[in-house]
Amino acid sequence: MEIKQVAAAGTVESSDILITIEPNEKETLSISLDSSVEKQFGKQIRQVITETLTHLKVTSAKVTAIDKGALDCTIIARLITAVYRAAEKDAYDWGEIDKWKN
């Protein structure tokens, strides 16, 4: 999926994550993470972001994530929403997550 514009989803409230995604000229994935739980869960958060982008077939993007202790399901939902906004797509089939995660 092609990222066409800058888009964001989420908040910086407790237990949430603010994800911003934008096009990347370098044709690679770049993840910048600022997390209140980075020492404990930074690797897991990056993995969830990478796996979700792979599932969505995003191969080139800059992702900035400001995490306040979000669960994996919240990270996935926020990222999918930001990607679809940035790709100018209308709707995501949320039932697709069950097939992908199982």
Side-chain angles (χ1 to χ4, degrees), residues 2 4-5 10 12 16 18 20-21 25-26 62 65 67 88 91 94:
E2 180 186 358
K4 298 177 180 179
Q5 64 184 10
V12 290
D16 203 354
L18 175 62
T20 306
I21 189 164
E25 295 173 2
K26 296 182 180 180
K62 290 181 186 177
D67 173 58
E88 299 175 345
W94 292 98

Side-chain angles (χ1 to χ4, degrees), residues 1-2 4 17 20-21 25 27 33 51 53 56-57 62 64 67 78 82 86 93 100:
M1 187 176 310
E2 180 186 358
K4 298 177 180 179
I17 187 168
T20 306
I21 189 164
E25 295 173 2
E27 298 296 320
L33 175 63
E51 287 176 358
L53 292 171
L56 296 172
K57 296 178 177 56
K62 290 181 186 177
T64 303
D67 173 58
R78 298 302 193 202
D93 177 6
W100 162 49

Side-chain angles (χ1 to χ4, degrees), residues 21-69:
I21 189 164
E22 60 187 280
N24 189 351
E25 295 173 2
K26 296 182 180 180
E27 298 296 320
T28 61
L29 294 175
S30 168
I31 301 170
S32 172
L33 175 63
D34 177 10
S35 175
S36 59
V37 293
E38 184 156 7
K39 287 183 182 179
Q40 298 92 344
F41 300 108
K43 184 176 177 181
Q44 173 67 16
I45 295 167
R46 284 183 176 83
Q47 181 178 341
V48 169
I49 291 171
T50 301
E51 287 176 358
T52 304
L53 292 171
T54 299
H55 170 72
L56 296 172
K57 296 178 177 56
V58 175
T59 58
S60 175
K62 290 181 186 177
V63 177
T64 303
I66 302 171
D67 173 58
K68 298 297 181 182

